[in-house]
Amino acid sequence: MQNILLKDVNIFNGKDNKIEGNLSILIRDGKIVAISSNPKLSAGEKVQEIDCEGMTVLPGLINVHAHLSLDAEAPFEESLDESTEMTLLKIVKNGRLTLESGITTIRELGCREHLDFAYREGVERGVVPGPRMLLSGKVITKTGGHGYFIGREADGKVEIMKAVREQVKAGADVIKVMSTGGVMTEGVEPGLALYTFEEVKAAADEARRSQKLTASHAQGTEGVKNAVLAGIDTIEHGIYMTEEIIELMIEKGTYWVPTLTPGERLTDPRAAELIPEYAIEKANRVKPIHRENFAKFCHRESLKLGIGSDSGVPLVFHNDIVTEMELFTEYGFSNFDALKLATFGNAELLQMQDKIGAIEVGMEADIVGVYGNPLQSLSVLRKPKLVIKAGVIV
Ligand SMILES: [Zn+2]
């Protein structure tokens, strides 16, 4: 691995609301080892020098809700029928698009047939490019429940515990449980619980015994509350959020990952060509409730939030976390808030803040370089000029 010197760069470090100029970053063995106006090289040290004049670098972006095996551009039901081989090829493509867009880490929350583990092995062995990944394997859902096509159907406590153990055995870092119905599965209702409290708790307890993080797709009030009380770490979507649940989440330190992008995209006229009527109907029905509740609770003091796009849902593209960040700013978050959430904040959510999410000495060299000032305009992130993952230029 070649050592790299990024010369004359402006830095947003992921934590502080400022950009510091005229600095250089020395990357050695994949890690940031020095940040100063003139980092000292070892005697005889060879580095690849990159002149970054006019460039602002920030920590690699993190998307905490991705589905690499879902094709954001194909008709949804058609893509569910494609072969395993075709899905794997698409995962490789989606992973590359993710990384090239400056998203250097994802949390993959539900993938067909454990293809996520094969893909990660391919990335780690240098066979194909891709981001860092925390993987869930298959989602755990009731028989015929939400997301069964990327899931392990399991009913009752014992079967659910076994389903968790299967994901752990396959290499999962996080266990994803479907607490409620959702938009993209026919015949399930977003507002209704799929599992009983005891079933969700069985999954959460089993995951904790294996020291795995937990995430729950949870949209309706009963299901969200079940998930929070069961000790799930992150609530995904949280559409029918209530005051009582928000207070519980603050008390327990539960994260809310609202995933605002799908609500926008599934109600876009373009979606009609890609998604079935039942999904359009549900998306239009829940979107205003989601927006209203996010607006109502998102600034509550001590509430923890995460930025995840739900990429792979039709029209939620794998190379785009910026739309989700921009949507946060529609609710009164500043560009700085959105940048911090998508870097250091998401790293904390993943419990990886000692490794990623900041540009500091000792951190992994996951770095995105853009022209323009992202604190002034998030849209400059859409065209990164430089992406480095673990000290390797993408
Ligand atoms: Zn999802």
Side-chain angles (χ1 to χ4, degrees):
M1 182 186 294
Q2 195 164 19
N3 296 337
I4 299 171
L5 183 64
L6 303 179
K7 289 190 74 173
D8 201 8
V9 72
N10 306 309
I11 300 176
F12 169 73
N13 69 7
K15 294 180 176 177
D16 301 317
N17 190 1
K18 63 181 178 187
I19 288 178
E20 286 190 281
N22 300 314
L23 290 165
S24 293
I25 301 174
L26 179 60
I27 298 165
R28 204 179 272 155
D29 300 323
K31 289 202 162 61
I32 298 170
V33 295
I35 303 171
S36 70
S37 55
N38 191 14
K40 218 166 129 20
L41 302 182
S42 310
E45 181 176 5
K46 284 205 167 49
V47 294
Q48 178 182 359
E49 279 193 17
I50 302 176
D51 181 5
C52 297
E53 202 191 327
M55 190 186 283
T56 298
V57 298
L58 57 146
L61 299 167
I62 301 171
N63 183 1
V64 297
H65 193 136
H67 298 281
L68 288 175
S69 70
L70 296 181
D71 185 340
E73 296 165 65
F76 186 70
E77 291 191 314
E78 227 171 82
S79 69
L80 296 181
D81 288 335
E82 71 196 8
S83 68
T84 304
E85 292 82 354
M86 180 51 66
T87 303
L88 185 56
L89 289 170
K90 287 186 176 179
I91 289 173
V92 171
K93 174 189 159 196
N94 294 337
R96 179 176 55 76
L97 290 172
T98 299
L99 181 60
E100 287 173 355
S101 75
I103 300 167
T104 52
T105 301
I106 61 167
R107 185 175 62 155
E108 171 25 274
L109 284 185
C111 183
R112 269 183 78 180
E113 297 171 52
H114 286 167
L115 296 172
D116 46 346
F117 300 116
Y119 174 56
R120 178 165 66 185
E121 191 185 341
V123 171
E124 284 172 355
R125 288 169 56 176
V127 180
V128 287
R132 285 177 202 278
M133 285 170 263
L134 278 83
L135 305 176
S136 73
K138 299 172 187 174
V139 304
I140 296 170
T141 189
K142 81 170 188 183
T143 298
H146 186 58
Y148 68 87
F149 37 80
I150 51 170
R152 156 69 154 97
E153 291 166 302
D155 305 298
K157 287 177 3 186
V158 173
E159 218 174 290
I160 287 168
M161 283 163 64
K162 181 161 190 189
V164 171
R165 290 170 186 176
E166 287 169 3
Q167 308 320 306
V168 171
K169 185 181 179 191
D173 310 287
V174 53
I175 298 300
K176 169 90 174 285
V177 191
M178 308 308 245
S179 294
T180 70
V183 169
M184 294 307 298
T185 305
E186 188 169 16
V188 300
E189 179 52 42
L192 295 180
L194 288 182
Y195 276 139
T196 64
F197 168 72
E198 285 73 23
E199 287 175 311
V200 180
K201 181 114 182 353
D205 288 349
E206 185 59 35
R208 194 172 49 246
R209 282 191 286 273
S210 297
Q211 297 179 291
K212 302 302 174 190
L213 293 171
T214 47
S216 185
H217 166 100
Q219 302 190 333
T221 304
E222 182 190 348
V224 178
K225 190 174 168 187
N226 283 345
V228 174
L229 287 174
I232 293 285
D233 296 308
T234 69
I235 296 299
E236 309 299 309
H237 319 302
I239 292 172
Y240 294 84
M241 193 58 85
T242 65
E243 179 72 43
E244 182 199 7
I245 298 172
I246 286 291
E247 279 171 22
L248 278 171
M249 289 174 75
I250 291 169
E251 189 187 311
K252 288 175 152 288
T254 316
Y255 277 86
W256 185 6
V257 182
T259 71
L260 302 167
T261 312
E264 300 304 310
R265 295 296 165 79
L266 296 177
T267 54
D268 184 303
R270 288 177 297 166
E273 287 169 23
L274 300 180
I275 66 175
E277 190 53 45
Y278 63 78
I280 294 177
E281 185 276 317
K282 286 191 274 186
N284 279 289
R285 185 150 48 82
V286 302
K287 176 182 159 182
I289 300 161
H290 196 194
R291 292 200 69 135
E292 188 188 326
N293 284 328
F294 190 64
K296 198 160 152 191
F297 300 120
C298 66
H299 291 291
R300 202 53 69 82
E301 200 181 333
S302 304
L303 176 65
K304 294 178 173 177
L305 296 170
I307 290 204
S309 69
D310 215 352
S311 56
V313 164
L315 300 176
V316 183
F317 303 112
H318 289 277
N319 61 356
D320 178 22
I321 191 66
V322 181
T323 297
E324 185 73 17
M325 296 166 72
E326 287 173 340
L327 283 166
F328 266 61
T329 66
E330 290 183 18
Y331 293 84
F333 291 93
S334 66
N335 289 344
F336 165 67
D337 295 332
L339 282 161
K340 186 179 176 185
L341 281 168
T343 54
F344 186 68
N346 274 353
E348 284 187 310
L349 181 152
L350 301 177
Q351 300 184 1
M352 291 179 75
Q353 70 274 19
D354 296 336
K355 283 182 82 176
I356 60 170
I359 296 197
E360 284 175 353
V361 170
M363 303 294 276
E364 296 281 326
D366 289 4
I367 295 171
V368 184
V370 297
Y371 286 116
N373 182 342
L375 287 173
Q376 280 168 13
S377 168
L378 294 174
S379 66
V380 303
L381 301 173
R382 291 189 187 279
K383 286 211 161 58
K385 300 297 169 202
L386 176 70
V387 179
I388 298 175
K389 186 195 103 183
V392 176
I393 296 170
V394 173

